[in-house]
Amino acid sequence: MEKTEEIDLIVNHPKKAINKLALPIIISNFFMMLNNIIDGIWVAGLGPDALAAVGFVTPLFLAMVGFANGLGAGSNSLIARYIGAEDYHSAGNSAIHSIMLSVIVTVIATIVMLIMLKPLLLTMGAGEIIDLTMTYGSIVIGGVFSIFLPAMMAAIFRSQGEIKRASYPLLFTAIINMILDPIFIYYFNLGVGGAAVATVLAGTLPMLMMMYWMFYKRDSFLEVKMSEYKRDLGIYKDILVVGIPASLEQFILSFVSILMNYWLTTLSGTIAVAAYTATWRLVAMGLAPLIGIGMAALTVGGAAYGARNLDNFKTALNYGVKIGLISSVIVCTVLFVFAEPLSYIFSYSTDSAVLSQRVVDCLHILCFFLLLMPFGILAGNLFQSMGKGTISLGLTFFRAFILEVIFSGLFAFVFGMADFGIYIGMVVGMSIGCIFNYAFINYYLNKNKHLFVT
């Protein structure tokens, strides 16, 4: 039976499983990142202020995405561990609890973020363009249901090897958004608000597709029947033990991004924020394969940990780093060599032409941000796969909040390198942090081999 083969692949063939699981995730993430670039291209046509407005909201939006993905990581890890231990009843029950948790969190997060949105944006330095920023932000944040529910359903599908159902809706989201952007921005003349409407609608339609598969068709290895829900606080706890730290990791990354935007505004004005926003959308393309490999390794690592198979667990870690490093080298090279032509996609209009050289200079530095990232991403995902979310959180805190912030402040303010110092500091902090993370997980595994003894 096909589903049984998928489960066997996850449990017994780690390299093949990572290859099979990662590719659809990479493709869908690539289109999501491509969508971010195209979204930025359409918004850039409205001028630097509109692009800066999106840039101020982006860290908050990514915090919500990270929160959703963090809860999904908790669910993915728990279900994969139960599958590895061949406890399929508990795996199915965990899936039901995961859906309930995502609904509860969606309602709370939407209300809280809408109340806090304007004060946060003003604190971030968006005062000069607060009306534009609020127009975009209130719509995007109000539609976070189109992020939370699909993220959790994708995690449930991914944990049992149904990678197409987990990934392809994200691809459709990106494609739909690319189509809707110019329609709502220019045809309906909604400006930056139109970009926000397109984002929410594009996430909602594929979400309905996933709900059909999960709640109506019900032909997955694990059946999710909400009518069989019986509250078990222990399951919620097990999901949140990984989910909350994983979510906090993205909040840390978003806070660092907010801080960088604030520093850039202080040093060079909103034009620097616009250039950084455009550049980061290009750099983020290189994250697509790394995120895909990391998610695949999380599933395989969780199954290996559940089965107490240390060899498979180490294979997931080291093989993931190997193929991730190959990807990073290729992407870094492409971004560095083709920085100038890539910059033109954000500076094609008269209003945004001033961005071109700034994007080139920024990209020549920030492309190296990706180079050693596989070491850090795989270490974090594999700790999450063991249910050690707090360790992964600690490593992210050390790398991003401590190293990246310290080095960025040092180069920008102490050495007087302004906005370019921020970019250099981010690269240095990321590189040192990722090497440390990889060294630490190897130390941890060697010291705690008893965790893999049945």
Side-chain angles (χ1 to χ4, degrees), residues 261-281:
N261 278 341
Y262 179 78
W263 281 353
L264 288 169
T265 303
T266 302
L267 291 165
S268 304
T270 55
I271 189 69
V273 177
Y276 174 66
T277 300
T279 302
W280 190 252
R281 294 194 173 208

Side-chain angles (χ1 to χ4, degrees), residues 304-345:
Y305 187 71
R308 299 295 184 261
N309 190 324
L310 180 59
D311 289 338
N312 281 1
F313 190 89
K314 285 187 174 181
T315 297
L317 171 64
N318 294 316
Y319 183 69
V321 168
K322 177 182 176 181
I323 59 177
L325 194 57
I326 293 171
S327 166
S328 292
V329 170
I330 294 172
V331 173
C332 184
T333 302
V334 170
L335 292 178
F336 188 88
V337 172
F338 296 99
E340 186 170 351
L342 287 171
S343 73
Y344 295 150
I345 65 177

Side-chain angles (χ1 to χ4, degrees), residues 47-69:
D49 282 352
L51 190 58
V54 173
F56 280 115
V57 175
T58 295
L60 301 178
F61 178 71
L62 291 179
M64 292 293 97
V65 173
F67 194 10
N69 288 337

Side-chain angles (χ1 to χ4, degrees), residues 122-300:
L122 289 172
T123 303
M124 292 163 61
E128 294 181 13
I129 51 173
I130 190 60
D131 290 338
L132 271 178
T133 310
M134 279 297 297
T135 297
Y136 181 80
S138 58
I139 297 172
V140 168
I141 298 300
V144 293
F145 65 88
S146 64
I147 299 170
F148 277 94
L149 296 177
M152 186 60 79
M153 288 187 285
I156 294 170
F157 285 130
R158 189 165 54 246
S159 66
Q160 53 191 314
E162 288 198 284
I163 199 61
K164 292 182 179 179
R165 288 183 172 180
S167 303
Y168 287 170
L170 294 178
L171 187 153
F172 297 146
T173 295
I175 294 174
I176 293 170
N177 199 10
M178 292 179 204
I179 295 171
L180 294 181
D181 260 338
I183 296 174
F184 282 94
I185 294 173
Y186 296 106
Y187 183 77
F188 291 136
N189 200 31
L190 295 177
V192 73
V197 172
T199 296
V200 174
L201 285 178
T204 302
L205 297 177
M207 179 187 75
L208 298 176
M209 180 191 308
M210 298 176 82
M211 293 177 69
Y212 168 77
W213 288 331
M214 183 165 290
F215 301 118
Y216 181 78
K217 198 171 184 181
R218 290 179 181 171
D219 59 349
S220 298
F221 182 78
L222 300 175
E223 286 193 28
V224 180
K225 296 181 179 179
M226 302 307 295
S227 59
E228 297 180 0
Y229 170 73
K230 292 182 180 179
R231 188 177 62 181
D232 185 338
L233 296 180
I235 293 178
Y236 284 132
K237 178 183 176 182
D238 287 339
I239 295 172
L240 293 174
V241 161
V242 173
I244 289 180
S247 300
L248 290 176
E249 288 185 41
Q250 185 59 56
F251 277 108
I252 289 172
L253 298 178
S254 295
F255 177 82
V256 172
S257 183
I258 290 170
L259 180 61
M260 298 308 164
N261 278 341
Y262 179 78
W263 281 353
L264 288 169
T265 303
T266 302
L267 291 165
S268 304
T270 55
I271 189 69
V273 177
Y276 174 66
T277 300
T279 302
W280 190 252
R281 294 194 173 208
L282 293 170
V283 173
M285 291 289 289
L287 294 175
L290 302 184
I291 292 172
I293 294 166
M295 286 183 174
L298 191 156
T299 299
V300 174

Side-chain angles (χ1 to χ4, degrees), residues 311-442:
D311 289 338
N312 281 1
F313 190 89
K314 285 187 174 181
T315 297
L317 171 64
N318 294 316
Y319 183 69
V321 168
K322 177 182 176 181
I323 59 177
L325 194 57
I326 293 171
S327 166
S328 292
V329 170
I330 294 172
V331 173
C332 184
T333 302
V334 170
L335 292 178
F336 188 88
V337 172
F338 296 99
E340 186 170 351
L342 287 171
S343 73
Y344 295 150
I345 65 177
F346 294 105
S347 55
Y348 61 89
S349 71
T350 303
D351 290 334
S352 59
V354 67
L355 293 176
S356 181
Q357 190 56 48
R358 281 183 172 271
V359 172
V360 172
D361 294 337
C362 185
L363 194 55
H364 277 156
I365 300 171
L366 282 182
C367 67
F368 293 101
F369 189 84
L370 299 168
L371 199 56
L372 300 181
M373 192 179 281
F375 292 97
I377 285 184
L378 268 296
N381 284 135
L382 268 297
F383 270 123
Q384 290 172 359
S385 75
M386 291 189 286
K388 312 294 181 183
T390 52
I391 297 178
S392 179
L393 172 61
L395 294 176
T396 298
F397 181 86
F398 176 68
R399 187 198 76 225
F401 195 81
I402 303 298
L403 294 179
E404 287 183 35
V405 170
I406 287 177
F407 280 109
S408 293
L410 183 66
F411 283 104
F413 297 102
V414 178
F415 295 159
M417 300 176 67
D419 46 346
F420 295 106
I422 290 177
Y423 309 145
I424 293 171
M426 290 175 64
V427 171
V428 173
M430 167 61 76
S431 300
I432 295 174
C434 286
I435 293 299
F436 175 83
N437 291 2
Y438 182 71
F440 184 80
I441 193 171
N442 279 286

